[in-house]
């Protein structure tokens, strides 16, 4: 455990030193994966779906705020939808506009949340969203999480029904048919409900003053998502894989443990409870100390030929300085032994105990 904490501290030091480069690299990879997912699923316009367009958009969006990446992804989706059918593009534009109204109203600085939500659904692990957003965010994060889920299912629906949607006659009929099919998507609304309730449950438990709140919140979020998705799957007659539901929840719980280790590592065995008061209130405070591990410092000594010669000269000087001292001690010892020997031979021993009466 201590080695993991030491690794965490070293990673924090690395991030503090190179944060700007790490953030830009992560932003580039996020953009690359988002644009690749869009082009590989609804790449109806061949020029926009090329690898050069994908890389170019990812590189350009790396040097701008993440909201620019969200807007670029939306524009790319609408371009592909327009190539397929004008009614689809119009309905999709209206739905994106409504989602952005809610997004800019509640979480204008959290654009990456929409992208992460959509990517989690694309990877078939949607139930990591409640754990991730509930532990690290606030209840308001329900809005971008829901927008991301809806965006994914819009792409998923168009991908599965592209031929039928393209053959619809008339602009009005196309608008009505696509709007009805999107709004009536039972699986989409079930996932939105499960994710939203999961985020609220995780955040509610995580903010309680109980021991191991983050672990309990992760388990509760995973369990709630499994229950809601399974019940909705049976009641609504859907065909969501139960393996996907369970696996997604388990991955979310494991992710919660990792997040606790990184962001909320505390020692509950040293918990202290303090009570004090002022003129108007009584205060009951629970203090839980953080687990802090000092990173061992590494000392690197470079051994060269010049350094080795200096070390040898230093050792020789120390030995030369010590030799006179040893010689003086030895000389004095020899003189003392000689004096004692001569005194005994000449009968000059002054020890009163040895004198004759």
């Amino acid at each position: 455990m201590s080695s993991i904490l030491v690794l965490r501290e070293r990673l924090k030091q690395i991030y503090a030193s190179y944060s700007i480069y790490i953030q830009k690299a992560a932003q580039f990879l996020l953009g690359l994966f988002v644009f690749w997912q869009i082009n590989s699923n609804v790449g109806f316009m061949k020029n926009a779906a090329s690898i050069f367009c994908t890389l170019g958009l990812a590189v350009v969006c790396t040097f701008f705020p993440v909201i620019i990446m969200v807007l670029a992804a939306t524009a790319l989706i609408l371009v592909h939808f327009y190539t397929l059918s004008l009614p689809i593009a119009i309905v999709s534009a209206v739905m994106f506009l409504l989602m952005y109204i809610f997004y800019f109203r509640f979480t204008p600085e959290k654009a990456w949340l929409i992208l992460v939500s959509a990517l989690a659904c694309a990877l078939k692990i949607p139930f990591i969203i409640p754990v991730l957003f509930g532990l690290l965010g606030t209840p308001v994060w329900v809005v971008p999480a829901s927008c991301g889920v809806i965006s994914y299912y819009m792409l998923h629906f168009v991908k599965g029904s592209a031929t039928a949607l393209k053959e619809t006659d008339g602009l009005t009929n196309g608008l009505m048919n696509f709007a009805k099919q999107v709004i009536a998507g039972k699986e989409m609304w079930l996932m939105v409900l499960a994710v939203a309730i999961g985020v609220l449950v995780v955040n509610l438990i995580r903010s309680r003053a109980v021991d191991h709140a983050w672990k309990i919140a992760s388990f509760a979020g995973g369990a709630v998502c499994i229950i809601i998705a399974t019940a909705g799957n049976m009641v609504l007659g859907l065909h969501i894989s139960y393996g996907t539901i369970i696996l997604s929840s388990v991955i979310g719980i494991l992710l919660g443990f990792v997040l606790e280790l990184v962001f909320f590592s505390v020692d509950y065995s040293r918990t202290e409870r303090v009570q004090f008061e002022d003129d108007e209130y009584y205060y009951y405070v629970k203090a839980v100390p953080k687990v802090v591990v000092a990173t061992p410092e590494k000392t690197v000594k470079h051994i060269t030929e010049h350094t080795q010669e200096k070390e040898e000269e230093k050792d020789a000087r120390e030995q030369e300085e010590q030799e006179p001292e040893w010689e003086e001690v030895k000389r004095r010892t020899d003189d003392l032994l000689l004096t004692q020997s001569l005194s005994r031979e000449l009968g000059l021993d002054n020890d009163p105990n040895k004198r004759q009466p």
Side-chain angles (χ1 to χ4, degrees):
M1 184 64 180
S2 60
S3 59
I4 297 177
L5 295 175
V6 170
L7 177 61
R8 182 194 66 177
E9 295 300 323
R10 287 179 176 171
L11 291 176
K12 285 184 177 180
Q13 293 175 0
I14 293 173
Y15 180 79
S17 302
Y18 306 99
S19 59
I20 184 64
Y21 304 105
I22 295 175
Q23 290 175 3
K24 290 304 177 183
Q27 190 172 338
F28 170 75
L29 293 176
L30 178 62
L32 184 64
F33 197 67
V34 166
F35 296 128
W36 174 72
Q37 280 288 325
I38 294 173
N39 290 330
S40 61
N41 285 280
V42 290
F44 301 113
M45 180 178 283
K46 300 303 180 182
N47 292 331
S50 65
I51 185 63
F52 299 103
C53 181
T54 302
L55 286 173
L57 287 174
V59 171
V60 171
C61 292
T62 300
F63 300 97
F64 291 95
V66 183
I67 185 60
I68 301 299
M69 187 183 299
V70 176
L71 297 176
T74 303
L76 184 61
I77 292 172
L78 293 178
V79 166
H80 287 305
F81 284 1
Y82 175 78
T83 303
L84 177 65
S85 173
L86 179 60
I88 295 176
I90 294 174
V91 173
S92 300
V94 172
M95 294 194 67
F96 280 127
L97 179 62
L98 293 175
M99 287 190 290
Y100 287 150
I101 290 174
F102 282 99
Y103 161 73
F104 284 113
R105 173 64 180 82
F106 293 102
T107 53
E109 298 179 356
K110 303 295 182 182
W112 62 273
L113 299 176
I114 299 177
L115 301 176
V116 170
S117 300
L119 290 178
C121 293
L123 295 174
K124 306 301 180 184
I125 47 175
F127 295 145
I128 69 169
I129 302 173
V131 177
L132 177 63
F133 289 15
L135 292 179
L136 301 182
T138 64
V140 180
W141 285 23
V142 168
V143 175
S146 302
C147 292
V149 174
I150 293 173
S151 300
Y152 164 74
Y153 274 98
M154 286 178 59
L155 269 69
H156 179 71
F157 177 76
V158 172
K159 178 183 177 182
S161 307
T163 303
L165 293 171
K166 189 174 182 179
E167 294 176 354
T168 303
D169 295 331
L171 178 62
T172 305
N173 292 334
L175 289 172
M176 296 300 295
N177 290 337
F178 182 65
K180 288 180 181 179
Q181 291 176 4
V182 171
I183 294 173
K186 298 179 181 179
E187 181 177 341
M188 179 183 72
W189 295 116
L190 175 63
M191 286 298 172
V192 170
L193 180 65
V195 167
I197 294 178
V199 171
L200 296 176
V201 169
V202 172
N203 187 262
L204 177 65
I205 298 176
R206 187 267 297 173
S207 58
R208 300 302 93 189
V210 297
D211 291 353
H212 306 287
W214 283 49
K215 291 185 179 67
I216 298 172
S218 299
F219 273 112
V224 166
C225 290
I226 290 175
I227 293 172
I228 295 176
T230 303
N233 201 23
M234 293 187 295
V235 172
L236 299 177
L238 303 177
H239 301 286
I240 305 175
S241 172
Y242 292 105
T244 301
I245 295 173
I246 295 174
L247 180 62
S248 177
S249 300
V250 171
I251 295 176
I253 293 172
L254 296 177
L255 176 62
F257 293 162
V258 175
L259 293 176
E260 180 183 10
L261 180 64
V262 175
F263 297 102
F264 196 75
S265 183
V266 296
D267 186 2
Y268 287 105
S269 63
R270 297 190 291 126
T271 301
E272 298 180 3
R273 289 174 172 81
V274 182
Q275 176 184 348
F276 56 94
E277 63 179 285
D278 59 14
D279 294 337
E280 297 180 357
Y281 295 97
Y282 286 96
Y283 300 91
Y284 299 89
V285 179
K286 178 181 179 181
V288 184
K290 296 181 178 180
V291 177
V292 180
V293 178
T295 305
E297 296 291 339
K298 291 185 177 180
T299 303
V300 180
K301 185 175 182 180
H302 298 281
I303 304 297
T304 61
E305 184 177 355
H306 184 64
T307 305
Q308 188 173 3
E309 291 177 357
K310 284 187 174 182
E311 292 291 335
E312 291 176 354
E313 291 177 359
K314 183 179 178 181
D315 294 339
R317 278 197 309 270
E318 292 178 353
Q319 187 175 2
E320 290 176 357
E321 292 174 357
Q322 293 176 358
E323 283 181 357
E325 297 179 359
W326 285 107
E327 292 293 335
E328 181 67 21
V329 172
K330 183 178 179 182
R331 187 182 62 79
R332 290 183 179 181
T333 303
D334 292 340
D335 292 344
L336 180 61
L337 292 175
L338 180 60
T339 303
Q340 291 178 352
S341 178
L342 291 173
S343 298
R344 284 196 298 269
E345 291 179 359
L346 298 173
L348 300 177
D349 191 355
N350 295 323
D351 189 356
N353 295 326
K354 297 183 178 178
R355 291 180 179 177
Q356 296 294 331

